Amino acid sequence: MLSTMRSQDRHARQRLSPQARTDAILAAATSAFTAATYDQVSVSAIAAAAAASEALVYRYFENKPGLYTAVVRLQFERLAARQEEVVARLDPNTSSRDLVRLTIEAVLDHVKTLRAAWASPFFTGAYEPAAVQDLRRQYRRDFAAGLAERLDNPDYRRAQLAIVGFLGYLGAAAQQWVDDGCPAADRGPLVEAALGALQGALGDWGSLRPPT
């Protein structure tokens, strides 16, 4: 009986395509890392949740750090894609302030979906692989570069530092919002405070070109 069950289990695993198997493992890993900290999650538990063997997980992902990095990378890619999508849909008459507001709201929607610190591109985890911190830094560089490209004077140092400071403020405020349970009543004030932080640092919204 046990032999038959093992045979059926192996047969069920083989039915998934490589992409479907990868997606299943990543989905199971995302749930696991959301429910517990990185050091508390085991590859064996992820494998069981994905209806796969531990050996099969290692066939797709070299090790636990590699799997975790893949999970975080996927989330940041989704966030960046969402930000690009909302900006691309903007009317040419949309203000620079509204453009930034939509990118902020995309960040908040993203972290609220999982309500996990690791899903934030501004979070620093004590047990995380170095590669994940590199992903966070790259996301922030790309976000900053996207805003800097809209500067009337890209070489204006105050504006460059204003963008960096704005991202630091947004990250801290978003993290606090997650820690508080993402209360709906705090979302509006958080967005307005983040916008105010950037506006105050820039001097005025005229420094940023609106959508064209």
Side-chain angles (χ1 to χ4, degrees):
M1 181 68 174
L2 181 58
S3 175
T4 300
M5 291 175 61
R6 285 175 177 169
S7 176
Q8 291 173 341
D9 186 47
R10 283 195 298 270
H11 183 64
R13 290 172 187 165
Q14 291 168 358
R15 274 196 285 237
L16 289 181
S17 68
Q19 186 58 60
R21 177 63 68 192
T22 299
D23 291 345
I25 294 171
L26 286 173
T30 299
S31 296
F33 290 124
T34 300
T37 59
Y38 172 78
D39 59 312
Q40 294 172 332
V41 175
S42 68
V43 174
S44 60
I46 292 172
S53 67
E54 193 169 347
L56 189 56
V57 172
Y58 285 127
R59 184 186 303 173
Y60 286 88
F61 302 93
E62 182 179 0
N63 49 33
K64 178 180 169 182
L67 175 54
Y68 182 72
T69 301
V71 167
V72 177
R73 179 184 294 109
L74 177 61
Q75 293 302 320
F76 290 175
E77 287 174 350
R78 288 175 176 173
L79 171 56
R82 177 58 180 163
Q83 289 178 308
E84 291 175 5
E85 178 186 347
V86 297
V87 169
R89 292 205 310 255
L90 287 175
D91 245 346
N93 295 325
T94 303
S95 67
S96 298
R97 186 181 189 276
D98 280 343
L99 181 151
V100 176
R101 176 180 60 79
L102 288 174
T103 62
I104 293 172
E105 290 181 344
V107 170
L108 299 184
D109 288 341
H110 171 79
V111 297
K112 182 182 178 181
T113 298
L114 293 174
R115 299 197 182 208
W118 64 263
S120 168
F122 307 100
F123 173 73
T124 300
Y127 300 102
E128 289 190 325
V132 171
Q133 291 305 320
D134 290 340
L135 287 177
R136 298 189 196 287
R137 283 189 287 269
Q138 187 60 54
Y139 170 86
R140 294 194 295 268
R141 283 194 294 267
D142 291 344
F143 195 169
L147 290 176
E149 286 175 358
R150 296 185 177 276
L151 290 173
D152 280 332
N153 179 4
D155 297 323
Y156 184 29
R157 189 58 177 158
R158 170 177 171 173
Q160 293 172 345
L161 294 173
I163 291 171
V164 173
F166 156 70
L167 291 182
Y169 178 86
L170 174 60
Q175 187 58 56
Q176 184 62 56
W177 189 59
V178 171
D179 291 343
D180 292 341
C182 301
D186 287 353
R187 181 185 171 108
L190 191 165
V191 172
E192 289 301 316
L195 287 169
L198 180 56
Q199 180 181 5
L202 285 173
D204 62 75
W205 288 109
S207 300
L208 286 176
R209 294 191 306 275
T212 56

